[in-house]
Amino acid sequence: NPPAQTKKALKQRFLKLLPCCRPKSIPSLSESKCFFLPLYSVEDEFELSTVCHRPEGLEQLQEQTKFTRKELQVLYRGFKNECPSGIVNEENFKQIYSQFFPQGDSSTYATFLFNAFDTDHDGSVSFEDFVSGLSIILRGTIDDRLNWAFNLYDLNKDGCITKEEMLDIMKSIYDMMGKYTYPAMREEAPREHVENFFQKMDRNKDGVVTIEEFLESCQKDENIMRSMQLFDNVI
Amino acid sequence: MAAGVAAWLPFARAAAIGWMPVANCPMPLAPTEKNKRQDELIILNVSGRRFQTWRTTLERYPDTLLGSTEKEFFFNEDTKEYFFDRDPEVFRCILNFYRTGKLHYPRYECISAYDEELAFYGILPEIIGDCCYEEYKDRKRENAERLMDDNDSENNQEGSMPSLSFRQTMWRAFENPHTSTLALVFYYVTGFFIAVSVITNVVETVPCGTVPGNKELPCGERYAVAFFCLDTACVMIFTVEYLLRLFAAPSRYRFIRSVMSIIDVVAIMPYYIGLVMTNNEDVSGAFVTLRVFRVFRIFKFSRHSQGLRILGYTLKSCASELGFLLFSLTMAIIIFATVMFYAEKGSSASKFTSIPASFWYTIVTMTTLGYGDMVPKTIAGKIFGSICSLSGVLVIALPVPVIVSNFSRIYHQNQRADKRRAQKKARLARIRVAKTGSSNAYLQSKRNGLLNEALELTGSTEDEQHMTKGTSLIESQHHHLLHCLEKTTGLSYLVDDPLLSVRTSTIKNHEFIDEQLFEQNCMESSMQNYPSSRSPSLSSHHGLTTSCCSRRNKKTTHLPNSSVPATRLRSMQELSTIHIQCSEQPSLTTSRSSLNMKSDDGLRPNCKTAQITTAIISIPTPPALTPEGESQPPPGSPGHSTNISSTTTSNIVKVSAL
């Protein structure tokens, strides 16, 4: 048992090093490529060069987002602690998120989240992406938040949610609960939930939910409006 | 929760906004931070060295001393810092654990000191990171061996042993000849007779003068009767010894299968077979062969010599290296024999008549013996012959150091154990001399004073119903998050499965747990904070185990079961925090925690938990107990601690000693 476990742990750690150090181009703003000593010789398959991504200064972030200076500091400290290289890639993201839902499989939902945060679609979430997403969710207006949620559901970003997309989302949410639930999860539960959702949201019954329909239906629903403000004091 | 992950909890909660539009039911309210303070730096003063860190860093592990309100007990109002009178070197590692989530074990640190510190701060050593875990386990094992050795030798010297049955006494006498004079006598007698038997076997074959008829006779045939009598005597002694051992063995089946008993049997069998068989011409050849087995008697010496036993054990443990050696040698022999045969085929009168015949040459050459009875004559043969001898040296030199180092390691281990045992007596005597005097009495009275104070305090805390313990903010926030998920899907986590229960039961359990923690902390701190000596009192201090097991109090630390109700035990499973840790380090839960718990079952968990639960130990019988009266503290708990350790083995990694 132990040899297998340690090998697996070694492999995971190795892989963890790897993606944060992809020599791909890093997006936007003030990036500084710091090449630390390559840890392995060239004969090895991978040439590791750690890349640092530094976010813009506090002042710019303060302007761009609605967080205070102190909040940004706290956020960055937590962010940097988990991702010393300054960017989160999908694997890492999934791993972090899965630690909050140990008994279910949160990887699919984490992928959707990742895509929602990764606004420039470059495969990694930098601190700016992270903080701008959070700013909308925690400090934005209700409409902003609803917009963000819509963006999350709209997997292919074409402006409308189809039943298949919604089904994927729903399945991923149910997956997070895991197997041991009461009452036991039925196979049709996600589908029924989706039907429910479309009945509520799809005004013109054309099988897709557009942003206007979504906003309209949500604004009419008391529960949803209230729950949107649930996390105001998270930071 | 793990280091960085707690910092991401706000993100996870914010991301939950994705569930809101699809939820069917209304969401539960979020927990509010009662006094939302900005993150502040706190100062930890450890024996004069000041460490500073954010408050939230420490709160990442709410089950530990630093992460919970337990540290408030160490808060120094005057200097506005937390003062710990502990080792600052080890504290560095512990603080780094909070910062990085990984606990390292420094090599220069003594293992028991380190364990004590970990226990003090409420950190389980299973958390030690992969990088340092091997080292830690090795040191731990060495220490455990040392402890076991010491315990064994103490056991052996115990005057008041529980009376063993006759059979058990005999077995002990056989296994350890130093236990009694009779055993020693037996030991030497058997040794003498083994020597006599071996020598007679050898002398039997020496030519012993001539007999009329010009034939040289070996002594064995000349003095046949004498040798026969000697042989009979030896065999009888061996038989009696074997039967006695068989009788005394605790597990006869296992004894029969053991190597030593097989050697015994093989040593005496030829004699009996020879008795049974008459001078039948046909089988006398076989009979002669049987006599060869008499030489196995010399192996009986291994009971008398530890070195021999170690050698045997080494060979057994190096079986794979030996096998490899044999295999490579065989390969080389076959190759070279073939080559030599074909090389020498041409020369006339060559001794290399066939490949098997060349085996002999190859073996003799590779082992650099070089008898010279077979020598290559052709040039090619000589060239290959020299290559053969050179490679022989290499092939044999490779596995041998492995075997040697194995032997050396085991041998030295044994030597160390013997040396320790020899030195220990002298050390103990010296210590005893130093201890007699006022200091000893002072310590005793102080301990008794502490116990009295504890008992007094027990009465008061038991009355307190109101515990102002809340769950940590992070935990309540995390619960709220999971609760929201439940509401979104309309499902709920199963309450019965202890690993997964999330809802109100955990809150209740949490309170319950913390209540107990609080009580214990109360006790512990009360015991710690009492400064100087108290009323001198009577009593033996044998029941008091505040000096923790790791300081190796005596045997009497076998504390029987407490009356702590079972419900408390179950509630000890801190559920939500547990299953977070569960997923975070899955390898730990399966391999380490269970392994660690199992292997150290007797020793470590009992000690650790016993240290913290010593306070509880005195509690169960407080009403009856008056502080001055019996300072016979009732034997308290660790049925309790063993229960705890057993619950902790069930796939749960806790970051606290509880």
PDB file of all heavy atoms in Angstrom, chain B residues 379-394:
ATOM      1  N   ILE B 379      46.021 -20.474 -26.867  1.00  0.00           N
ATOM      2  CA  ILE B 379      46.102 -19.036 -26.579  1.00  0.00           C
ATOM      3  C   ILE B 379      44.715 -18.460 -26.330  1.00  0.00           C
ATOM      4  O   ILE B 379      44.497 -17.692 -25.375  1.00  0.00           O
ATOM      5  CB  ILE B 379      46.797 -18.299 -27.738  1.00  0.00           C
ATOM      6  CG1 ILE B 379      48.213 -18.814 -27.868  1.00  0.00           C
ATOM      7  CG2 ILE B 379      46.745 -16.805 -27.497  1.00  0.00           C
ATOM      8  CD1 ILE B 379      49.050 -18.021 -28.836  1.00  0.00           C
ATOM      9  N   ALA B 380      43.812 -18.866 -27.194  1.00  0.00           N
ATOM     10  CA  ALA B 380      42.440 -18.373 -26.992  1.00  0.00           C
ATOM     11  C   ALA B 380      41.924 -18.795 -25.632  1.00  0.00           C
ATOM     12  O   ALA B 380      41.285 -18.012 -24.913  1.00  0.00           O
ATOM     13  CB  ALA B 380      41.544 -18.907 -28.097  1.00  0.00           C
ATOM     14  N   GLY B 381      42.220 -20.031 -25.269  1.00  0.00           N
ATOM     15  CA  GLY B 381      41.771 -20.518 -23.968  1.00  0.00           C
ATOM     16  C   GLY B 381      42.345 -19.693 -22.839  1.00  0.00           C
ATOM     17  O   GLY B 381      41.654 -19.357 -21.873  1.00  0.00           O
ATOM     18  N   LYS B 382      43.609 -19.342 -22.981  1.00  0.00           N
ATOM     19  CA  LYS B 382      44.220 -18.542 -21.913  1.00  0.00           C
ATOM     20  C   LYS B 382      43.622 -17.156 -21.826  1.00  0.00           C
ATOM     21  O   LYS B 382      43.392 -16.634 -20.731  1.00  0.00           O
ATOM     22  CB  LYS B 382      45.726 -18.453 -22.145  1.00  0.00           C
ATOM     23  CG  LYS B 382      46.435 -19.744 -21.844  1.00  0.00           C
ATOM     24  CD  LYS B 382      47.939 -19.604 -21.921  1.00  0.00           C
ATOM     25  CE  LYS B 382      48.565 -20.970 -21.598  1.00  0.00           C
ATOM     26  NZ  LYS B 382      49.930 -21.099 -22.063  1.00  0.00           N
ATOM     27  N   ILE B 383      43.338 -16.584 -22.999  1.00  0.00           N
ATOM     28  CA  ILE B 383      42.736 -15.240 -22.982  1.00  0.00           C
ATOM     29  C   ILE B 383      41.389 -15.278 -22.282  1.00  0.00           C
ATOM     30  O   ILE B 383      41.107 -14.496 -21.363  1.00  0.00           O
ATOM     31  CB  ILE B 383      42.587 -14.700 -24.417  1.00  0.00           C
ATOM     32  CG1 ILE B 383      43.965 -14.443 -25.001  1.00  0.00           C
ATOM     33  CG2 ILE B 383      41.749 -13.433 -24.424  1.00  0.00           C
ATOM     34  CD1 ILE B 383      43.923 -13.991 -26.444  1.00  0.00           C
ATOM     35  N   PHE B 384      40.582 -16.239 -22.719  1.00  0.00           N
ATOM     36  CA  PHE B 384      39.261 -16.312 -22.103  1.00  0.00           C
ATOM     37  C   PHE B 384      39.353 -16.689 -20.647  1.00  0.00           C
ATOM     38  O   PHE B 384      38.543 -16.279 -19.821  1.00  0.00           O
ATOM     39  CB  PHE B 384      38.369 -17.289 -22.857  1.00  0.00           C
ATOM     40  CG  PHE B 384      37.918 -16.736 -24.175  1.00  0.00           C
ATOM     41  CD1 PHE B 384      38.277 -17.350 -25.368  1.00  0.00           C
ATOM     42  CD2 PHE B 384      37.164 -15.581 -24.232  1.00  0.00           C
ATOM     43  CE1 PHE B 384      37.883 -16.830 -26.576  1.00  0.00           C
ATOM     44  CE2 PHE B 384      36.760 -15.048 -25.434  1.00  0.00           C
ATOM     45  CZ  PHE B 384      37.128 -15.669 -26.614  1.00  0.00           C
ATOM     46  N   GLY B 385      40.354 -17.504 -20.326  1.00  0.00           N
ATOM     47  CA  GLY B 385      40.531 -17.876 -18.928  1.00  0.00           C
ATOM     48  C   GLY B 385      40.823 -16.670 -18.053  1.00  0.00           C
ATOM     49  O   GLY B 385      40.311 -16.543 -16.931  1.00  0.00           O
ATOM     50  N   SER B 386      41.626 -15.759 -18.590  1.00  0.00           N
ATOM     51  CA  SER B 386      41.945 -14.591 -17.765  1.00  0.00           C
ATOM     52  C   SER B 386      40.728 -13.677 -17.631  1.00  0.00           C
ATOM     53  O   SER B 386      40.465 -13.132 -16.559  1.00  0.00           O
ATOM     54  CB  SER B 386      43.133 -13.831 -18.347  1.00  0.00           C
ATOM     55  OG  SER B 386      43.092 -13.836 -19.747  1.00  0.00           O
ATOM     56  N   ILE B 387      39.987 -13.559 -18.750  1.00  0.00           N
ATOM     57  CA  ILE B 387      38.757 -12.753 -18.636  1.00  0.00           C
ATOM     58  C   ILE B 387      37.840 -13.362 -17.584  1.00  0.00           C
ATOM     59  O   ILE B 387      37.222 -12.662 -16.770  1.00  0.00           O
ATOM     60  CB  ILE B 387      38.034 -12.682 -19.988  1.00  0.00           C
ATOM     61  CG1 ILE B 387      38.915 -11.981 -21.014  1.00  0.00           C
ATOM     62  CG2 ILE B 387      36.716 -11.956 -19.843  1.00  0.00           C
ATOM     63  CD1 ILE B 387      38.291 -11.945 -22.389  1.00  0.00           C
ATOM     64  N   CYS B 388      37.800 -14.686 -17.599  1.00  0.00           N
ATOM     65  CA  CYS B 388      36.927 -15.376 -16.636  1.00  0.00           C
ATOM     66  C   CYS B 388      37.319 -15.052 -15.206  1.00  0.00           C
ATOM     67  O   CYS B 388      36.459 -14.742 -14.373  1.00  0.00           O
ATOM     68  CB  CYS B 388      37.043 -16.889 -16.905  1.00  0.00           C
ATOM     69  SG  CYS B 388      36.157 -17.896 -15.742  1.00  0.00           S
ATOM     70  N   SER B 389      38.588 -15.107 -14.917  1.00  0.00           N
ATOM     71  CA  SER B 389      38.975 -14.879 -13.525  1.00  0.00           C
ATOM     72  C   SER B 389      38.730 -13.426 -13.128  1.00  0.00           C
ATOM     73  O   SER B 389      38.311 -13.145 -12.006  1.00  0.00           O
ATOM     74  CB  SER B 389      40.430 -15.257 -13.298  1.00  0.00           C
ATOM     75  OG  SER B 389      41.265 -14.407 -14.043  1.00  0.00           O
ATOM     76  N   LEU B 390      38.934 -12.494 -14.049  1.00  0.00           N
ATOM     77  CA  LEU B 390      38.692 -11.087 -13.712  1.00  0.00           C
ATOM     78  C   LEU B 390      37.221 -10.839 -13.427  1.00  0.00           C
ATOM     79  O   LEU B 390      36.855 -10.190 -12.441  1.00  0.00           O
ATOM     80  CB  LEU B 390      39.154 -10.188 -14.858  1.00  0.00           C
ATOM     81  CG  LEU B 390      40.661 -10.031 -15.010  1.00  0.00           C
ATOM     82  CD1 LEU B 390      40.977  -9.212 -16.246  1.00  0.00           C
ATOM     83  CD2 LEU B 390      41.228  -9.367 -13.766  1.00  0.00           C
ATOM     84  N   SER B 391      36.384 -11.389 -14.299  1.00  0.00           N
ATOM     85  CA  SER B 391      34.954 -11.139 -14.093  1.00  0.00           C
ATOM     86  C   SER B 391      34.449 -11.859 -12.861  1.00  0.00           C
ATOM     87  O   SER B 391      33.492 -11.417 -12.228  1.00  0.00           O
ATOM     88  CB  SER B 391      34.168 -11.563 -15.317  1.00  0.00           C
ATOM     89  OG  SER B 391      34.327 -12.948 -15.506  1.00  0.00           O
ATOM     90  N   GLY B 392      35.070 -12.944 -12.517  1.00  0.00           N
ATOM     91  CA  GLY B 392      34.644 -13.650 -11.319  1.00  0.00           C
ATOM     92  C   GLY B 392      34.758 -12.783 -10.094  1.00  0.00           C
ATOM     93  O   GLY B 392      33.852 -12.728  -9.251  1.00  0.00           O
ATOM     94  N   VAL B 393      35.851 -12.066 -10.016  1.00  0.00           N
ATOM     95  CA  VAL B 393      36.030 -11.183  -8.871  1.00  0.00           C
ATOM     96  C   VAL B 393      34.894 -10.176  -8.782  1.00  0.00           C
ATOM     97  O   VAL B 393      34.316  -9.938  -7.721  1.00  0.00           O
ATOM     98  CB  VAL B 393      37.383 -10.455  -8.990  1.00  0.00           C
ATOM     99  CG1 VAL B 393      37.483  -9.398  -7.933  1.00  0.00           C
ATOM    100  CG2 VAL B 393      38.512 -11.443  -8.852  1.00  0.00           C
ATOM    101  N   LEU B 394      34.543  -9.599  -9.933  1.00  0.00           N
ATOM    102  CA  LEU B 394      33.500  -8.575  -9.936  1.00  0.00           C
ATOM    103  C   LEU B 394      32.159  -9.138  -9.519  1.00  0.00           C
ATOM    104  O   LEU B 394      31.464  -8.584  -8.680  1.00  0.00           O
ATOM    105  CB  LEU B 394      33.369  -7.977 -11.342  1.00  0.00           C
ATOM    106  CG  LEU B 394      34.410  -6.938 -11.706  1.00  0.00           C
ATOM    107  CD1 LEU B 394      34.200  -6.468 -13.120  1.00  0.00           C
ATOM    108  CD2 LEU B 394      34.316  -5.770 -10.732  1.00  0.00           C
TER     109      LEU B 394
END
